[in-house]
Amino acid sequence: MANASISRSQPVKAKRSPAKRTLTQAERFARLGLHNDADFMLHVPLRYEDETQLHDLSQIRPGQFVQADVEVTDQHIAPGVRRQLIVQVQDHTGSLRLRWLHFYPSLLKQLAPGQRVRIRGEVRDGFHGLELVHPKVTQADQPLAQALTPIYPTTDGLRQDSLAKAIQAAFSRTQLTDTLPEAIRQHFNLAEFAQALYTVHHPPKGADQQALLSRTHPAWARIKFDELLAQQLSLAAAREARRQQRAPVLQAQSDGSVSSLVAQLRAHLPFQLTAAQERVVHEIHADLQQPYPMHRLLQGDVGSGKTVVAALAAAQALAAGYQVAVMAPTEILAEQHYLKLAAWFAPLAIEVVWLSGSMTVKQRRPVLERLAQAEPLLIVGTQALIQEGVEFARLGLIILDEQHRFGVGQRLALSKKGEQPTKGGGEAFRPIQSSAEPQDLASVASSTVNSALLPHQLSMSATPIPRTLAMSFLADLDVSVIDELPVGRKPIVTKLIADVRRDEILAYVAQQVAQGGQVYWVCPLVEESESLQLQTAVDTHHYLVEHLPGVQVGLVHGKLKAAEKAAVMDAFRANQVQVLVATTVIEVGVDVPNANLMIIEHAERFGLAQLHQLRGRVGRGAAQAVCVLLYQPQLSADGRARLRAMHETNDGFKIAQYDLELRGPGEFLGLRQSGQALLRFADLQTDAHMIEQAKACAQLLRTQYPKVAQAHLERWLQGREDLLRT
Ligand code: ADP
Ligand code: MG
């Protein structure tokens, strides 16, 4: 095989041999994921033993792996519950004790006093001084090994030497070509591939073991580079596939109507956009004029003003005659967007409609009928927008708020909603399939190439994604960042207060309300039981009503009917309710600028990202905002660390970085199944610099050496590219 495919996804070849022992070994290999030659060659050592040199007994230290040619000076069997073989040896520099807890009689002969032998093992500091327990014994005065000896990860009953032999056999059967031409290797300063891989298995005498173990050795660099390169190539291919797709060009009409609608919306805003908002508006504006779908992620810390950016994008699509869908993960947030967008667009004579899961069939019907007409309109809603039966006649743009809260499947379902025939843009769509899985992405991409118009997509998130993650897993997304808050915001002051000081808190709340402020009181998360959480919220509400006479205290939780929720939120927004007791239903996106104090009970129970999101509900107006984190004393170390992080910083990026460290990238991105499994050798944290290089190399290969790019992908990612397309 000239170009071994390095993939673990190949099925186990059934062994036909009836010999039981062979079969067992194949099964053991299978347990290690070793099926084909490539698997064996990529089964890399855990560590090495150095048999390339001899040590003087006088120089050895505990923990060291030693090899020495010695002469046996004494041998005896120590009696006891378990008989032990004790052997004393010496060289010209010193002596050492060897010990066996079980042994064959042949060993006694091999280690008779006066014999010269070679011993190998790890030095231990035993009761009687330094010793080797169960050292390997071979003939003395043999030539030394020329390479370090690999020690592989193995499994029960599979011996190191059998494994090593099988790996060696795979190497000798395989003519491992280099996928990268000499010029590329030189340019990126890369070792030759076969050589690099072989070196990792059999590092030459004197090789830097430390560099090998920490995987910083040049041989390792080549392997990791290849892996990252394959990932970048695959992402680039996904991006190109998107460019082959068609989307409506949302361009200024000859009468300038697009720009005029956008301009009108701007004129109605009660504030000036920040420079950062202007920049991202510009980026999105340019994307929407391309004939292929935009996939842009808009990142900005909580309160940075993403909604208005979305509204301006919507205006551009609406003016070009298209429908726009805005989807939010919770009903409260969706409703708030609905209210805000309706208020912004009403003066511009743009229809804004609402669709949620709690609407009756009868309530939905007129909405669905409107969607089926190919007229510009803005629809805001929850996951209800991607349910079966919802069909858009002319969807030009979809906006996903708090995108990290949606699964890959949901995001995909929404984008499929937008498929429309290229000709005669007014017809209704063919029905969509429900619950698409991530793997379907490739088929969606290929089946829709040049055959349908896809909507543009704008996702928004307050969770900043560290650059290395974004580059390696989300490289098919363009990212815009709002990196400044509107002027006049004062950083939120976060106070950590032990739960016992509840009276003080009550007095503080009363004082805030007396001064015209409003307050969120967030009830503790009770993960085990939703009904318990509800009970706590109800109790807290009673308690506050009782202790805050003359103050209107509202209650909102997940079990309320949508209309009840909406009524409470409306009252809070209108300052008819001054204190809002809430469960985490208010976690994302809610925006009531007059609310400037937030109390979070049992803050130690919340995750870091969740606390940051919750806290982001205050500090949206000009007044000084305060967030009080009430905690139960006797914090766990983890809980303490989270609260401290919240106290120390308001910076969403720092918090996300910390969260990433706590939870790991797969969890962080919601890519558990696809993200992590894809990188076997490279490490996003330590090999960040290499990602840039791999990206540059991918670019070069795709433009100048497309065949090389193809061969490289085939070797590394056979059958796995689809997983990268999220
Ligand atoms: P997020 O990015 O968290 O979604 P929002 O879009 O809800 O933030 O905006 C937070 C608040 O800031 C809202 O009340 C919004 O109207 C206001 N806002 C947005 N942009 C500006 C700006 N440039 N100047 C002043 N206030 C702004
Ligand atoms: Mg928001």
Side-chain angles (χ1 to χ4, degrees), residues 267-406:
H268 278 87
L269 292 175
F271 46 74
Q272 287 274 312
L273 295 191
T274 62
Q277 283 171 318
E278 288 289 0
R279 178 167 36 77
V280 304
V281 163
H282 191 76
E283 287 164 358
I284 295 167
H285 183 73
D287 279 4
L288 294 179
Q289 297 184 44
Q290 299 302 322
Y292 52 86
M294 165 176 84
H295 278 198
R296 190 169 281 278
L297 174 65
L298 173 56
Q299 287 186 0
D301 207 348
V302 287
S304 61
K306 296 184 287 292
T307 317
V308 67
V309 172
L312 288 166
Q316 187 174 344
L318 291 163
Y322 282 85
Q323 300 171 325
V324 176
V326 176
M327 187 160 98
T330 70
E331 188 134 354
I332 286 187
L333 180 55
E335 196 220 358
Q336 174 188 296
H337 282 327
Y338 171 69
L339 294 175
K340 194 159 225 170
L341 293 170
W344 279 339
F345 280 103
L348 313 183
I350 294 289
E351 190 181 354
V352 182
V353 297
W354 167 248
L355 187 72
S356 84
S358 59
M359 284 163 73
T360 63
V361 175
K362 207 168 143 204
Q363 287 169 323
R364 273 168 200 241
R365 192 168 304 132
V367 178
L368 298 182
E369 279 166 10
R370 289 294 292 119
L371 290 181
Q373 288 158 21
E375 279 162 34
L377 107 171
L378 180 58
I379 180 156
V380 185
T382 56
Q383 279 93 323
L385 288 177
I386 52 173
Q387 270 160 18
E388 211 138 347
V390 182
E391 287 177 15
F392 297 84
R394 210 168 143 79
L395 186 58
L397 169 65
I398 57 191
I399 298 172
L400 215 60
D401 197 12
E402 309 292 348
Q403 65 96 32
H404 58 285
R405 301 282 297 250
F406 292 101

